[in-house]
Amino acid sequence: MVIEKICCLGAGYVGGPTCSVIAWKCPDIKVTVCDKSIERINQWNSDKLPIYEPGLDEVVKECRGKNLFFSTDIANSIQEADLIFISVNTPTKTIGNGKGRAADLKYIEGAARMIADLATSNKIVVEKSTVPVKAAEIIMKILRANTKPGVEYQILSNPEFLAEGTAIVDLVESERVLIGGEDTPEGQKAVQALCWVYEHWIPAKNILTTNTWSSELSKLAANAFLAQRISSINSLSAVCEATGADVSEVARAVGRDSRIGPKFLEASIGFGGSCFQKDILNLIYLSECLNLPEVAAYWQQVVSFNDYQKNRFTRKVIESLFNTVSDKKIAILGFSFKKNTGDTRESPAICVSKTLLDEGAKLHIYDPKVETDQIYYELTHPQVTNEPEVVRKNIEIHNSAYSAVTGAHALVLCTEWDEFKELDFKKIYNVMMKPAYIFDGRKILDHEALINIGFHVQTIGKRLSRTGSIRAQGSQTLP
Ligand code: UDX
Ligand code: UDX
Ligand code: ADP
């Protein structure tokens, strides 16, 4: 089976970059990315794309209008496609059964019903969104209960492993592409058809095929493992702060063991992003439904520890500022959940900001890529506060770090943007209130230099004194 036309439902952080790269690498395939939001599609068709992702602009510019299209004409795109990716959002349920843990599959269900209504020829339907195990079964049930004569469906699971900020590199140089399908001749034919698409640029050895449920669970497992590493190193960061050990040295030593490896051992203010917490909560919910409470409790601890880490950091800020931040001006540098993205979903900066606002602080926020409205949205929507007007009065958004810190009692660094390392801290010291405090939630600044300028500095996983770091007695720097 040859794939000539692909349709993608959902032009978000996953669907947009993934399909742009498919179009770029497969000039023989027409790729149409659809969204029900006209505004989103207009942005994809403009010079300012709706998401910031290094390298994305170039790829879109090269293919848009040739074999890559962004459209709201969902009906036509579905009808002409051989293969349809479902890349719609799967937020955590906020009401009803499984509230706060289970994924809300209403958008997945909506997309499946749309396909069932509109399709007039055979389709391979590929679930791309991160979904709970057995979501493919839901899609299958809806499609097969609504089959029309001459229309057959194959459902595949093809989870996306890209990380934001490095999406294009991750897609172009994928370590692995995972495709799960039904163990029937037709199922395997569909798997091979999708393999053929990826083989345009991914070496065949990097394309793993499996059954649908293993594929779905692998995605949750990968994110759970990654998040668990961060909670593990963050738990040690607390031990380091209490003992005088340095978490970076510990991570370096531990990561040298090839069984452990050096990546994803960066202690931080806590993990954020749309995937980690949501996927672990899915795994917890699944375990509870399967009557495996010990498994649920094991993974719950990874999420609970992350909340503790975010709160621990914020508590440190408040305690250092003489236990009161009421009416104090505090500069928040960085609002996205990590560098090189404008995405704020589950960003630890939200938790830090909210607590400081609750304590009466006035926040002056700067992020290089997050839009002003997005910051207001995150801090004022009903699940965060029931006093949006008060919150609005107490936040000011800046377009440079220097203007945000002017007159501030403290600078709280929440995101590891490279430009923060290049700031002129002497200049910053001169315009801040004294004593001037810096809380480096990402361990990226030169703490000794800051202390020498006159700052009081606190960071994650390392105890600092005004004169410099305290090394544990007898410790040696590893090569
Ligand atoms: C361990 C560490 O590997 C070693 O670096 C340290 O110095 C001492 O502790 P050891 O206990 O001798 O070494 O054996 P190891 O191979 O780590 O296995 C420990 C246990 O884990 C065994 O019971 C093993 O069967 C089990 N294991 C190991 C698993 O169940 N699954 C695995 O994937 C690996
Ligand atoms: C993650 C997975 O990496 C990706 O494979 C999956 O497809 C989607 O979820 P993403 O959430 O975009 O990607 O970013 P990631 O780089 O994983 O970072 C997640 C969070 O963990 C960020 O807040 C980041 O700052 C934090 N982090 C990451 C740490 O605190 N320490 C680390 O060592 C690594
Ligand atoms: P992700 O990070 O998973 O890509 P996003 O929220 O960034 O999630 O994007 C999901 C997109 O899917 C949104 O732009 C939303 O409007 C779109 N969407 C949801 N349901 C449908 C649907 N049935 N058809 C087309 N687009 C949809």
Side-chain angles (χ1 to χ4, degrees):
M1 182 189 236
V2 176
I3 307 293
E4 290 176 353
K5 290 183 180 142
I6 290 178
C7 159
C8 174
L9 298 178
Y13 284 94
V14 173
T18 308
C19 285
S20 299
V21 168
I22 291 178
W24 186 40
K25 293 293 180 181
C26 307
D28 51 335
I29 300 177
K30 177 184 173 189
V31 181
T32 308
V33 187
C34 297
D35 205 290
K36 56 186 186 183
S37 156
I38 298 170
E39 192 193 344
R40 247 211 177 165
I41 291 300
N42 287 344
Q43 287 174 314
W44 278 106
N45 282 320
S46 75
D47 285 339
K48 189 165 186 293
L49 301 182
I51 61 178
Y52 170 71
E53 193 58 67
L56 179 64
D57 280 16
E58 290 78 358
V59 173
V60 170
K61 263 189 203 129
E62 192 165 329
C63 308
R64 198 171 51 193
K66 289 184 195 151
N67 68 328
L68 174 64
F69 301 89
F70 295 93
S71 168
T72 48
D73 187 354
I74 298 178
N76 185 48
S77 311
I78 288 179
Q79 275 162 356
E80 67 172 24
D82 308 300
L83 184 147
I84 303 167
F85 284 112
I86 300 185
S87 300
V88 300
N89 31 340
T90 49
T92 303
K93 277 183 87 170
T94 52
I95 50 167
N97 206 6
K99 169 184 163 183
R101 289 165 306 158
D104 191 340
L105 295 180
K106 70 176 173 191
Y107 300 106
I108 296 266
E109 186 178 333
R113 289 190 185 279
M114 221 177 228
I115 297 170
D117 271 357
L118 296 165
T120 49
S121 59
N122 295 349
K123 309 287 172 202
I124 299 175
V125 176
V126 185
E127 100 192 331
K128 192 82 173 134
S129 321
T130 303
V131 287
V133 179
K134 298 218 168 177
E137 202 172 69
I138 297 175
I139 299 174
M140 207 178 298
K141 274 191 185 150
I142 292 169
L143 293 178
R144 292 195 179 151
N146 292 284
T147 307
K148 297 171 212 144
V151 182
E152 284 183 15
Y153 299 105
Q154 284 302 320
I155 291 87
L156 303 179
S157 157
N158 171 219
E160 186 45 65
F161 293 103
L162 68 80
E164 286 173 34
T166 53
I168 301 302
V169 176
D170 293 345
L171 287 163
V172 172
E173 297 167 12
S174 292
E175 287 172 340
R176 45 82 161 88
V177 167
L178 183 61
I179 302 173
E182 276 187 276
D183 203 7
T184 58
E186 297 75 29
Q188 290 309 303
K189 254 195 225 163
V191 168
Q192 287 315 314
L194 185 55
C195 285
W196 173 82
V197 172
Y198 284 110
E199 279 166 12
H200 280 70
W201 79 99
I202 305 287
K205 68 174 176 23
N206 289 3
I207 303 177
L208 312 180
T209 58
T210 182
N211 66 48
T212 316
W213 296 342
S214 300
S215 170
E216 289 178 327
L217 183 58
S218 300
K219 169 69 192 200
L220 295 191
N223 278 346
F225 263 78
L226 291 170
Q228 183 238 52
R229 280 173 73 95
I230 301 169
S231 279
S232 296
I233 198 70
N234 281 346
S235 76
L236 295 170
S237 76
V239 177
C240 288
E241 287 161 38
T243 57
D246 178 342
V247 76
S248 300
E249 299 285 300
V250 174
R252 191 147 66 109
V254 170
R256 278 290 175 95
D257 186 328
S258 63
R259 296 169 300 179
I260 298 171
K263 294 182 185 168
F264 258 74
L265 284 180
E266 210 63 76
S268 67
I269 180 176
F271 60 74
S274 72
C275 284
F276 283 176
Q277 176 165 310
K278 185 180 78 179
D279 286 358
I280 298 180
L281 293 175
N282 273 335
L283 192 55
I284 294 167
Y285 186 66
L286 176 73
S287 308
E288 283 171 355
C289 293
L290 297 171
N291 201 17
L292 299 167
E294 289 78 6
V295 179
Y298 176 78
W299 290 109
Q300 177 61 50
Q301 194 50 27
V302 174
V303 175
S304 303
F305 192 85
N306 197 50
D307 290 335
Y308 166 79
Q309 183 78 350
K310 290 184 278 188
N311 291 331
R312 196 171 73 84
F313 177 74
T314 319
R315 222 174 32 239
K316 198 183 329 189
V317 174
I318 297 166
E319 280 168 13
S320 303
L321 297 175
F322 316 111
N323 218 19
T324 176
V325 290
S326 181
D327 287 329
K328 284 184 180 159
K329 177 173 174 179
I330 297 183
I332 303 282
L333 296 197
F335 202 80
S336 58
F337 79 94
K338 62 188 263 197
K339 73 173 180 180
N340 294 339
T341 177
D343 194 352
T344 57
R345 289 177 292 181
E346 303 296 338
S347 177
I350 299 169
C351 171
V352 173
S353 300
K354 175 162 172 25
T355 308
L356 293 174
L357 285 166
D358 286 347
E359 294 268 341
K362 308 232 177 273
L363 299 187
H364 289 248
I365 304 173
Y366 166 68
D367 185 284
K369 287 290 171 201
V370 178
E371 306 284 341
T372 299
D373 287 349
Q374 185 61 23
I375 298 178
Y376 278 117
Y377 168 77
E378 290 289 13
L379 295 177
T380 58
H381 75 82
Q383 274 159 32
V384 177
T385 181
N386 47 19
E387 296 180 302
E389 284 320 307
V390 178
V391 169
R392 265 177 188 277
K393 264 194 230 143
N394 288 328
I395 5 183
E396 201 173 303
I397 315 296
H398 292 256
N399 55 16
S400 93
Y402 294 111
S403 82
V405 299
T406 302
H409 293 262
L411 180 167
V412 180
L413 190 149
C414 292
T415 314
E416 73 282 20
W417 286 100
D418 289 339
E419 69 172 64
F420 297 156
K421 291 192 257 185
E422 311 301 325
L423 291 169
D424 179 345
F425 281 97
K426 281 196 183 126
K427 184 169 149 190
I428 288 178
Y429 183 76
N430 289 336
V431 297
M432 279 178 70
M433 301 286 282
K434 310 293 176 321
Y437 288 85
I438 291 188
F439 301 91
D440 177 4
R442 296 289 187 163
K443 287 191 305 102
I444 59 165
L445 303 178
D446 180 344
H447 304 129
E448 305 256 335
L450 295 176
I451 288 165
N452 288 337
I453 291 171
F455 285 105
H456 291 260
V457 187
Q458 304 242 21
T459 189
I460 301 279
K462 187 179 185 183
R463 204 198 298 157
L464 301 168
S465 73
R466 267 185 68 81
T467 49
S469 62
I470 300 169
R471 278 194 180 281
Q473 283 281 311
S475 75
Q476 286 182 346
T477 304
L478 290 154

